[in-house]
């Protein structure tokens, strides 16, 4: 009994901090709305176009602003109150959700509307993402930072379970437009939580320009070999790992012969695996040799992705998707924790933005390539290729990546 209580206490210890709890709850509500919209939007894109390429393109346009502007967003996160920057970011994304709902409701929706709106929402994320990732570690003590990051991953992945499940119910009862409208409302939760928290980053006054601060952040990372290697791993993980989720509607419709409700449930299954992975990492957050845990999680992800690409059985595919989700989030949480532990608070926004650039930059590029390969060859070939590429990166780092192995 004491062992169980001790494990639970270690797993959820960041919840002892009031500001972390408040922000966690607000973010959970908003992220559930995001995943409701993602399910409805992916199926809408497939219905409007019938092409995998547009699934990859919409994901590319949603993520590319992070590549183009996250360094600027990171510099702003170290210059102004991170809460205010986050409120601005959430407001932009809320406006795009309501615009999408209105266009669908009026029957005016076209593919170019979707592509434009996801790009605008991505601009908001480019400024909000680094601020959010820089704010989370300041809400807890340094020793509890890995646990807070793991619990933040649990929040994200609980939403991956709840969001698609709720989306399937809402789509059945009221149509896709209700998902877009509810997502817009959900942003109010995180805005309210940001107004409630007491902790706030107050930057020192500086006359340095945004460009010079970006340069300072780049030099900070360049001087640390471990950070460079972690960012390479982050890029490879998202480039190769995320397309399995992006192409999931195609697997459901063309390989399993099912509809959008099954797609929503399979997204929830992937999210359930991710919750398990985040809980496992939260319990192991004080473990030594987290670098090796990162690399072996990447190997396991590649194996499960490869197996998923080879099956046309819905039950087996669901089990493999659950396992892949577990490995994917353990990998993400581990890399993020190692990066955050290597930086100081005054550099946190800029380093977070550089990490965000590498980590999130892999998503649009990987999705675009996988979408094109799925149309030209097959979705199974696209996911299988990504699995082989990910396994190759893992083996290289396990063989010669001593810096990461010893973290």
């Amino acid at each position: 009994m004491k062992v169980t209580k001790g494990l639970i206490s270690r797993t959820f210890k960041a919840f002892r901090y009031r500001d972390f709890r408040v922000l966690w709850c607000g973010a959970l509500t908003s992220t559930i709305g995001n995943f409701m919209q993602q399910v409805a939007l992916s199926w809408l894109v497939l219905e409007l176009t019938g092409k995998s390429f547009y699934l990859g393109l919409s994901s590319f346009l949603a993520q590319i602003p992070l590549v183009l502007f996250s360094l600027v967003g990171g510099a702003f996160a170290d210059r102004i109150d991170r809460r205010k920057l986050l409120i601005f970011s959430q407001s932009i994304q809320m406006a795009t959700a309501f615009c999408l709902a209105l266009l669908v409701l009026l029957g005016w929706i076209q593919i170019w509307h979707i592509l434009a709106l996801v790009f605008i929402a991505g601009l908001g994320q480019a400024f909000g993402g680094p601020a959010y990732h820089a704010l989370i570690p300041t809400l807890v003590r340094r020793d509890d930072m890995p646990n807070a990051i793991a619990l933040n991953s649990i929040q994200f992945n609980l939403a991956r379970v709840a969001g698609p499940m709720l989306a399937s119910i809402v789509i059945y009862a009221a149509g896709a437009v209700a998902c877009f409208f509810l997502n817009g409302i959900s942003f109010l939760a995180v805005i309210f939580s940001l107004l409630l928290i007491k902790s706030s980053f107050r930057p020192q006054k500086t006359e340095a320009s945004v460009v010079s601060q970006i340069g300072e952040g780049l030099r900070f990372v360049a001087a640390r070999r471990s950070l460079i290697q972690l960012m390479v791993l982050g890029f490879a993980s998202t480039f190769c790992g995320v397309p399995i989720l992006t192409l999931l509607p195609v697997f459901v419709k063309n390989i399993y012969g099912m509809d959008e409700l099954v797609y929503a449930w399979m997204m929830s299954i992937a999210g359930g695996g991710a919750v398990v992975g985040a809980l496992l990492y939260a319990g192991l957050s004080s473990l030594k040799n987290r670098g090796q845990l990162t690399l072996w999680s990447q190997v396991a992800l590649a194996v499960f992705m490869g197996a998923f690409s080879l099956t046309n059985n819905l039950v087996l595919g669901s089990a493999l998707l659950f396992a892949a989700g577990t490995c994917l989030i353990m990998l993400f949480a581990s890399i993020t924790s190692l990066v955050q532990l290597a930086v100081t608070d005054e550099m946190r926004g800029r380093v977070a933005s550089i990490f965000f650039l590498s980590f999130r930059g892999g998503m649009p590029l990987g999705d675009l390539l996988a979408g094109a390969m799925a149309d030209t060859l097959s979705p199974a070939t696209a996911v299988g290729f990504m699995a082989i590429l990910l396994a190759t990166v893992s083996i290289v780092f396990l063989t010669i990546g001593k810096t990461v192995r010893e973290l």
Side-chain angles (χ1 to χ4, degrees):
M1 192 69 174
K2 289 183 178 179
V3 174
T4 303
K5 287 183 178 179
L7 178 61
I8 293 173
S9 178
R10 290 195 303 274
T11 302
F12 298 101
K13 59 185 177 180
F15 280 143
R16 294 195 304 253
Y17 302 89
R18 179 253 183 198
D19 283 353
F20 179 80
R21 291 196 308 271
V22 169
L23 186 57
W24 191 93
C25 291
L28 174 64
T29 304
S30 180
T31 311
I32 287 173
N34 285 341
F35 276 106
M36 289 180 67
Q37 175 166 303
Q38 181 179 323
V39 168
L41 192 64
S42 294
W43 202 263
L44 180 60
V45 168
L46 199 57
E47 290 280 304
L48 285 173
T49 67
K51 292 185 177 295
S52 304
F53 173 75
Y54 282 101
L55 287 171
L57 181 61
S58 63
S59 178
F60 175 83
L61 290 173
Q63 302 292 335
I64 198 64
L66 302 171
V67 177
L68 298 176
F69 301 108
S70 65
L71 291 180
V72 178
F76 273 97
D78 285 338
R79 292 171 71 93
I80 63 177
D81 189 327
R82 289 167 184 162
R83 291 188 303 172
K84 293 179 180 178
L85 189 56
L86 275 166
I87 291 171
F88 170 75
S89 165
Q90 299 300 306
S91 299
I92 290 176
Q93 294 174 71
M94 180 171 62
T96 62
F98 283 134
C99 284
L100 191 57
L102 184 62
L103 287 168
V104 175
L105 185 64
L106 295 175
W108 296 347
I109 192 69
Q110 296 180 40
I111 187 62
W112 73 266
H113 293 138
I114 294 173
L115 299 179
L117 286 169
V118 297
F119 181 82
I120 293 169
L123 287 174
Q125 288 185 25
F127 286 86
Y132 181 77
H133 284 281
L135 182 62
I136 288 290
T138 66
L139 304 180
V140 301
R141 289 203 314 262
R142 182 177 177 83
D143 290 347
D144 294 327
M145 191 188 303
N147 184 257
I149 291 169
L151 290 179
N152 185 59
S153 296
I154 290 172
Q155 168 269 123
F156 181 82
N157 289 290
L158 280 173
R160 282 181 59 187
V161 177
M165 289 177 64
L166 288 173
S168 66
I169 297 170
V170 171
I171 290 171
Y172 179 79
V177 65
C179 290
F180 305 138
F181 181 72
L182 289 172
N183 182 43
I185 293 175
S186 74
F187 284 106
L188 296 173
V190 71
I191 290 172
F192 185 61
S193 69
L194 287 165
L195 295 173
L196 283 178
I197 64 174
K198 297 175 181 177
S199 299
S200 180
F201 173 73
R202 293 178 176 83
Q204 295 180 348
K205 291 184 178 181
T206 178
E207 295 181 359
S209 67
V210 170
V211 173
S212 65
Q213 285 195 304
I214 291 173
E216 187 179 356
L218 290 170
R219 288 191 294 273
F220 182 90
V221 171
R224 290 158 177 80
R225 187 176 181 182
S226 60
L227 283 177
I228 294 173
Q229 292 191 5
L230 286 169
M231 289 181 185
V232 171
L233 279 176
F235 178 87
S237 299
T238 54
F239 182 91
C240 298
V242 172
I244 190 175
L245 300 175
T246 303
L247 295 178
L248 189 56
V250 188
F251 277 87
V252 172
K253 187 174 184 178
N254 297 345
I255 294 179
Y256 304 136
M258 299 295 178
D259 60 14
E260 66 267 32
L261 298 181
V262 173
Y263 166 57
W265 280 99
M266 289 196 75
M267 282 290 287
S268 293
I269 288 169
V275 171
V276 171
L279 284 169
L280 282 173
Y281 186 76
L284 298 171
S285 59
S286 59
L287 193 69
K288 294 181 179 179
N289 298 323
R290 284 195 292 267
Q292 290 194 33
L293 176 64
T294 300
L295 294 173
W296 284 111
S297 296
Q298 197 173 59
V299 170
L301 174 60
V303 171
F304 289 126
M305 283 179 60
F308 178 84
S309 72
L310 296 174
T311 183
N312 58 4
N313 181 277
L314 178 62
V315 175
L316 179 57
S318 298
L320 291 168
L321 191 64
F322 181 92
T326 300
C327 297
L328 191 64
I329 210 60
M330 285 190 70
L331 181 58
F332 288 177
S334 182
I335 295 173
T336 304
S337 296
L338 291 171
V339 170
Q340 291 284 15
L341 287 169
V343 303
T344 56
D345 193 49
E346 63 272 12
M347 295 294 298
R348 198 173 299 283
R350 279 163 285 178
V351 174
S353 71
I354 298 168
F355 174 61
F356 217 58
L357 179 62
S358 63
F359 196 71
R360 296 295 292 268
M363 295 183 191
L365 298 175
D367 284 342
L368 199 61
L369 175 61
M373 287 184 67
D375 277 338
T376 305
L377 301 172
S378 71
T381 301
V383 172
F385 172 79
M386 291 299 187
I388 293 170
L389 185 59
L390 186 63
T392 302
V393 172
S394 307
I395 292 168
V396 168
F397 272 90
L398 283 168
T399 304
I400 63 175
K402 184 178 178 181
T403 302
V404 172
R405 288 202 314 268
E406 294 181 352
L407 289 175

